[in-house]
Amino acid sequence: MDVVPPVDAKHPVERLLGTTLDGGWKVVERFEHAVKDATGGNNSVGFIVENGEGKRGFLKAIDLASSNKFNDPPSVLQEMLSAYLNERNICTICKDRQMRRVAGSIAHGQAQVDGAIGLEGSVSYIIFELAEGDIRHAIDKLDHVDTAWSLRTLHDIAVGMDQIHRADIAHLDTKPSNALRFKDQGTKLSDFGKSLQRGRASLHENDLIVGDPSYAPPELHYDYLSPDWNERRFGCDLWLLGSMAVFLFSRTTMTGLLSSEMAGIHHWRQWRGGYLDVLPYVRDGFNRAIVKFEPTIWEGIRSPVIIIIRQLCDPDPHRRGHPINLSQSGGNNSIYRFSVERYVSQFDALAKRCELGL
Amino acid sequence: MAQLFGDQDRKIFPRWRPFRETLKTGELSSIENAARKNTPIDDLLRLKAQWGKNRTPSFAADVVSAAVALDEPGQAKQEADFLLKAQSVPLPARSLAERILGIATVEPALDINDVLNAQSTRKKIHDIRRRLWDDPHNVIGWTELSFFFAVIGVHDKAISAMENALRLAPHNRYVLRSAARLFVHINHLGRAHELLLTNERTRYDPWLLAAEIAIADARGKPPKFAITGRRTLNSGIDRFHVSELASAIGTLEINASGSTRRGRRFIQDSLEKPSENAVAQAAWADRKFGMIDINGTILRQSPEAKTWDNYMIGNWRRALDASMTWFRDQPFSKHPPIIASYLSALVFQEYESAAKIAGQGLVANAGDPLLLNNLAYSLANQGKISEAVTALKNISLEGLPTEISAPVLATRGLIAYRSGNAIEGRALYMEAVERLNGHQSALLRANLHMAIEELRAGTPQANVVAVASLGITAEVVMPEVVMLRERLRGQFVESRKKEAISDHG
């Protein structure tokens, strides 16, 4: 969830406030935090909506009229619509499959606001479950972040990732701000604005880094894009999951830690050779990062957690993932090769161990 | 007699250092022009906006981490400052915040200063093995493991570790150059050469081209990539990346074609933006063939060049200091401990220290006759005669070149003198002197050494030998000869004084 700039009151999207949408959802207030839209811009606006039963939701409205602000409005409009449709499609899949660890959509639709006609008055929206905040809010509210809480949170995120992967969807933007906390429900994976579904055309299909670059795996920073969809997209998700573990224990990300351990001449902003050439140096930086990070984990579970992070964040995308999956997939990049199912079980077992004080 | 014949021949073999040390040299950067790549920071700005509304450690840490990831430290100063003042912030997050504010301390991965301490080297090996246990694909770990095994002279394990590194990263420059240097070190020149000849990367990488040419030259074989190397020199690559290549081609020109003039030109070109190794090679070429223009600032980049430069002008203390720096830089090489133990023993008469240096050199170079010789010389001068005898016991002179056999004979002569057997001592020294025919400086030094031992032993011939030695060296200006001559003169004067007192008594 992100902060959006103030919206021009003349914009139709702003006029949603106070209107009632299909399904009886009433737009009751502007939401200070809104989801950035899938085009990577700030062309969406957030509102709180409420239905007749007092259930509240988060509405993400796409400001189609804002396409007029750009030099080439038709192509921006096309981009915005395509991104909206992609997100809506993915949300629908998640909803249909009843993914319990995904902050899914409740409804979506099109509204025509008063005082504007045609495209000018047309607002596309998606309504999501309303969260209490993301894991950063939760961490800051806790007296102390205990290991069991971190592992349970990781388990929840891993379940969410496993669920979408089973639907051939790669999240690609898993980060603290997209791991939302829900009252009595734990953590759910959210924001599918940058997600891709295998086999379905998308705006970002050919992008190197689809999600937030500050969390992206190193191979993408070095312009290495695997020709295999599973490896480049599910491989990226594995890295992001490992990086979430790093954040929960150390408030840093693996990308940040790795960057800090790389020599200037080998850093992705400097290096001009291929990824295979720089990989030994990246791996050295990675190992140094692990050494720095290791002590933040409670000794009782340090070893298995470090092993998991090493597997999820292996700098070599060909080696990333669980070794059993790697060996059993026989070298081909089937979806099984990138499955997070084993990590779901491992995080669950580790969380239980800590919860029971074993 | 501790002996040194100078660096008769030198090839620009790759330097081999631990990874972090190699990084500092710049030779592991990419050959392609390195303009800084732009990464969009829109997402980072969004994180900053979130932090603006949630001034808590988690939000600040998220910004700091993103700024470090994107190498945009200027974007997270405020957040980093906040994080450092906040309570209960995990260490890695603090460390990134310190980095943003420029207060992070850079710790070297391996402390190279105690690399000459075998115990500490064994500890490093232990640590690296543990790292490799955690990540067996750590190429740098395997290469460093090989390095430290080479430093303690465990060659089979050094080879095995290097083979693992080569299997994991067969085309990596650091691994290939390190491997080539290892095989040169253990006299597997053929293996070193083959490694570079058969590697597809060699023809594109000036650092590997330089190594191939130097190793082929050392083997007396025509390099496969000499023409490619010449073409690469003019391909617009940054001059630093081709400095060793120019140097290798220059050395080849001199050795193979006998063209000193052309060779000098290439070597001079190598100094435009030289590596440390290229400086050492140019300084060697200048000592041997002259006419290479090396300014003092460039020369001081290389401890090897500094050692020889100071040695040539008799600046002994600086030569010794530089040789120890060189030794720490290349702790598996025999050349630095040979000159360091020589200077320490012969010039400074610090025999304990000289024995220690020679001993350290022998760890990586077990059985090296010159190091054993310098060790024996230092031990004998400490009165440890039986240890000195043991040190030389296994050296067979058969087949050894004069540069090695003569000093060993002379040291055996010294041991004989110190054991009270002047006749045998004299005979051994004389045999050494005979072998040194044609090596003027060494021959004169052997003469002076023998005269010193004669005086020390108080033999009837002592005065005659001393006068003769002083006579034949009177006009010589070579610093080592001058230094030894003055030592002999001092002893001779002392001895005459004692004789006079005893005559009067």
PDB file of all heavy atoms in Angstrom, chain A residues 255-270:
ATOM      1  N   THR A 255      18.355  -7.978  -0.655  1.00  0.00           N
ATOM      2  CA  THR A 255      18.915  -7.143  -1.727  1.00  0.00           C
ATOM      3  C   THR A 255      19.764  -6.012  -1.120  1.00  0.00           C
ATOM      4  O   THR A 255      20.843  -5.708  -1.617  1.00  0.00           O
ATOM      5  CB  THR A 255      17.787  -6.570  -2.613  1.00  0.00           C
ATOM      6  OG1 THR A 255      16.896  -7.635  -2.934  1.00  0.00           O
ATOM      7  CG2 THR A 255      18.327  -5.967  -3.886  1.00  0.00           C
ATOM      8  N   GLY A 256      19.259  -5.421  -0.035  1.00  0.00           N
ATOM      9  CA  GLY A 256      20.015  -4.357   0.633  1.00  0.00           C
ATOM     10  C   GLY A 256      21.306  -4.879   1.229  1.00  0.00           C
ATOM     11  O   GLY A 256      22.381  -4.292   1.056  1.00  0.00           O
ATOM     12  N   LEU A 257      21.203  -6.015   1.934  1.00  0.00           N
ATOM     13  CA  LEU A 257      22.400  -6.586   2.561  1.00  0.00           C
ATOM     14  C   LEU A 257      23.428  -6.976   1.506  1.00  0.00           C
ATOM     15  O   LEU A 257      24.624  -6.714   1.654  1.00  0.00           O
ATOM     16  CB  LEU A 257      22.034  -7.837   3.370  1.00  0.00           C
ATOM     17  CG  LEU A 257      21.536  -7.638   4.788  1.00  0.00           C
ATOM     18  CD1 LEU A 257      21.213  -8.994   5.409  1.00  0.00           C
ATOM     19  CD2 LEU A 257      22.569  -6.928   5.656  1.00  0.00           C
ATOM     20  N   LEU A 258      22.942  -7.608   0.446  1.00  0.00           N
ATOM     21  CA  LEU A 258      23.860  -8.040  -0.615  1.00  0.00           C
ATOM     22  C   LEU A 258      24.549  -6.831  -1.245  1.00  0.00           C
ATOM     23  O   LEU A 258      25.767  -6.830  -1.453  1.00  0.00           O
ATOM     24  CB  LEU A 258      23.082  -8.836  -1.674  1.00  0.00           C
ATOM     25  CG  LEU A 258      23.873  -9.283  -2.900  1.00  0.00           C
ATOM     26  CD1 LEU A 258      25.005 -10.234  -2.511  1.00  0.00           C
ATOM     27  CD2 LEU A 258      22.967  -9.971  -3.912  1.00  0.00           C
ATOM     28  N   SER A 259      23.760  -5.807  -1.519  1.00  0.00           N
ATOM     29  CA  SER A 259      24.318  -4.589  -2.118  1.00  0.00           C
ATOM     30  C   SER A 259      25.439  -4.026  -1.241  1.00  0.00           C
ATOM     31  O   SER A 259      26.481  -3.600  -1.736  1.00  0.00           O
ATOM     32  CB  SER A 259      23.205  -3.561  -2.283  1.00  0.00           C
ATOM     33  OG  SER A 259      23.725  -2.322  -2.680  1.00  0.00           O
ATOM     34  N   SER A 260      25.211  -4.071   0.075  1.00  0.00           N
ATOM     35  CA  SER A 260      26.201  -3.488   0.992  1.00  0.00           C
ATOM     36  C   SER A 260      27.478  -4.319   1.041  1.00  0.00           C
ATOM     37  O   SER A 260      28.532  -3.823   1.427  1.00  0.00           O
ATOM     38  CB  SER A 260      25.623  -3.359   2.405  1.00  0.00           C
ATOM     39  OG  SER A 260      25.577  -4.619   3.036  1.00  0.00           O
ATOM     40  N   GLU A 261      27.396  -5.572   0.658  1.00  0.00           N
ATOM     41  CA  GLU A 261      28.580  -6.436   0.716  1.00  0.00           C
ATOM     42  C   GLU A 261      29.299  -6.560  -0.622  1.00  0.00           C
ATOM     43  O   GLU A 261      30.314  -7.240  -0.723  1.00  0.00           O
ATOM     44  CB  GLU A 261      28.184  -7.842   1.210  1.00  0.00           C
ATOM     45  CG  GLU A 261      27.671  -7.890   2.634  1.00  0.00           C
ATOM     46  CD  GLU A 261      28.692  -7.400   3.659  1.00  0.00           C
ATOM     47  OE1 GLU A 261      29.904  -7.544   3.408  1.00  0.00           O
ATOM     48  OE2 GLU A 261      28.289  -6.846   4.692  1.00  0.00           O
ATOM     49  N   MET A 262      28.760  -5.913  -1.645  1.00  0.00           N
ATOM     50  CA  MET A 262      29.391  -6.009  -2.960  1.00  0.00           C
ATOM     51  C   MET A 262      30.444  -4.920  -3.132  1.00  0.00           C
ATOM     52  O   MET A 262      30.205  -3.770  -2.781  1.00  0.00           O
ATOM     53  CB  MET A 262      28.345  -5.832  -4.072  1.00  0.00           C
ATOM     54  CG  MET A 262      27.296  -6.930  -4.162  1.00  0.00           C
ATOM     55  SD  MET A 262      27.981  -8.539  -4.586  1.00  0.00           S
ATOM     56  CE  MET A 262      28.671  -8.201  -6.190  1.00  0.00           C
ATOM     57  N   ALA A 263      31.584  -5.299  -3.695  1.00  0.00           N
ATOM     58  CA  ALA A 263      32.598  -4.293  -4.001  1.00  0.00           C
ATOM     59  C   ALA A 263      32.047  -3.386  -5.101  1.00  0.00           C
ATOM     60  O   ALA A 263      31.291  -3.855  -5.959  1.00  0.00           O
ATOM     61  CB  ALA A 263      33.849  -4.990  -4.491  1.00  0.00           C
ATOM     62  N   GLY A 264      32.428  -2.121  -5.043  1.00  0.00           N
ATOM     63  CA  GLY A 264      31.924  -1.147  -6.020  1.00  0.00           C
ATOM     64  C   GLY A 264      32.062  -1.633  -7.457  1.00  0.00           C
ATOM     65  O   GLY A 264      31.115  -1.536  -8.245  1.00  0.00           O
ATOM     66  N   ILE A 265      33.213  -2.208  -7.782  1.00  0.00           N
ATOM     67  CA  ILE A 265      33.435  -2.590  -9.187  1.00  0.00           C
ATOM     68  C   ILE A 265      32.534  -3.751  -9.627  1.00  0.00           C
ATOM     69  O   ILE A 265      32.370  -3.986 -10.813  1.00  0.00           O
ATOM     70  CB  ILE A 265      34.917  -2.944  -9.481  1.00  0.00           C
ATOM     71  CG1 ILE A 265      35.424  -4.042  -8.524  1.00  0.00           C
ATOM     72  CG2 ILE A 265      35.799  -1.730  -9.448  1.00  0.00           C
ATOM     73  CD1 ILE A 265      36.791  -4.595  -8.912  1.00  0.00           C
ATOM     74  N   HIS A 266      31.995  -4.471  -8.665  1.00  0.00           N
ATOM     75  CA  HIS A 266      31.133  -5.603  -9.013  1.00  0.00           C
ATOM     76  C   HIS A 266      29.652  -5.312  -8.765  1.00  0.00           C
ATOM     77  O   HIS A 266      28.806  -6.151  -9.040  1.00  0.00           O
ATOM     78  CB  HIS A 266      31.534  -6.854  -8.213  1.00  0.00           C
ATOM     79  CG  HIS A 266      32.911  -7.335  -8.547  1.00  0.00           C
ATOM     80  ND1 HIS A 266      33.737  -7.962  -7.656  1.00  0.00           N
ATOM     81  CD2 HIS A 266      33.619  -7.243  -9.702  1.00  0.00           C
ATOM     82  CE1 HIS A 266      34.875  -8.240  -8.245  1.00  0.00           C
ATOM     83  NE2 HIS A 266      34.829  -7.806  -9.475  1.00  0.00           N
ATOM     84  N   HIS A 267      29.371  -4.153  -8.226  1.00  0.00           N
ATOM     85  CA  HIS A 267      27.977  -3.811  -7.932  1.00  0.00           C
ATOM     86  C   HIS A 267      27.198  -3.690  -9.236  1.00  0.00           C
ATOM     87  O   HIS A 267      27.751  -3.320 -10.261  1.00  0.00           O
ATOM     88  CB  HIS A 267      27.911  -2.492  -7.151  1.00  0.00           C
ATOM     89  CG  HIS A 267      26.584  -2.247  -6.519  1.00  0.00           C
ATOM     90  ND1 HIS A 267      25.542  -1.661  -7.203  1.00  0.00           N
ATOM     91  CD2 HIS A 267      26.108  -2.539  -5.291  1.00  0.00           C
ATOM     92  CE1 HIS A 267      24.488  -1.576  -6.399  1.00  0.00           C
ATOM     93  NE2 HIS A 267      24.809  -2.117  -5.231  1.00  0.00           N
ATOM     94  N   TRP A 268      25.904  -4.020  -9.161  1.00  0.00           N
ATOM     95  CA  TRP A 268      25.094  -4.012 -10.382  1.00  0.00           C
ATOM     96  C   TRP A 268      25.005  -2.649 -11.047  1.00  0.00           C
ATOM     97  O   TRP A 268      24.705  -2.555 -12.233  1.00  0.00           O
ATOM     98  CB  TRP A 268      23.699  -4.586 -10.139  1.00  0.00           C
ATOM     99  CG  TRP A 268      22.990  -4.151  -8.884  1.00  0.00           C
ATOM    100  CD1 TRP A 268      22.297  -3.014  -8.688  1.00  0.00           C
ATOM    101  CD2 TRP A 268      22.893  -4.889  -7.658  1.00  0.00           C
ATOM    102  NE1 TRP A 268      21.770  -2.987  -7.419  1.00  0.00           N
ATOM    103  CE2 TRP A 268      22.117  -4.127  -6.766  1.00  0.00           C
ATOM    104  CE3 TRP A 268      23.389  -6.122  -7.232  1.00  0.00           C
ATOM    105  CZ2 TRP A 268      21.825  -4.543  -5.466  1.00  0.00           C
ATOM    106  CZ3 TRP A 268      23.095  -6.540  -5.947  1.00  0.00           C
ATOM    107  CH2 TRP A 268      22.328  -5.758  -5.078  1.00  0.00           C
ATOM    108  N   ARG A 269      25.274  -1.602 -10.331  1.00  0.00           N
ATOM    109  CA  ARG A 269      25.215  -0.291 -10.982  1.00  0.00           C
ATOM    110  C   ARG A 269      26.493   0.009 -11.742  1.00  0.00           C
ATOM    111  O   ARG A 269      26.569   0.982 -12.487  1.00  0.00           O
ATOM    112  CB  ARG A 269      24.937   0.794  -9.944  1.00  0.00           C
ATOM    113  CG  ARG A 269      23.542   0.646  -9.370  1.00  0.00           C
ATOM    114  CD  ARG A 269      23.028   1.892  -8.746  1.00  0.00           C
ATOM    115  NE  ARG A 269      22.798   2.962  -9.711  1.00  0.00           N
ATOM    116  CZ  ARG A 269      22.214   4.094  -9.407  1.00  0.00           C
ATOM    117  NH1 ARG A 269      21.794   4.288  -8.185  1.00  0.00           N
ATOM    118  NH2 ARG A 269      22.045   5.027 -10.301  1.00  0.00           N
ATOM    119  N   GLN A 270      27.518  -0.811 -11.497  1.00  0.00           N
ATOM    120  CA  GLN A 270      28.818  -0.546 -12.106  1.00  0.00           C
ATOM    121  C   GLN A 270      29.210  -1.606 -13.140  1.00  0.00           C
ATOM    122  O   GLN A 270      29.811  -1.293 -14.156  1.00  0.00           O
ATOM    123  CB  GLN A 270      29.867  -0.527 -10.979  1.00  0.00           C
ATOM    124  CG  GLN A 270      31.182   0.142 -11.310  1.00  0.00           C
ATOM    125  CD  GLN A 270      31.058   1.640 -11.399  1.00  0.00           C
ATOM    126  OE1 GLN A 270      30.245   2.238 -10.714  1.00  0.00           O
ATOM    127  NE2 GLN A 270      31.845   2.231 -12.272  1.00  0.00           N
TER     128      GLN A 270
END
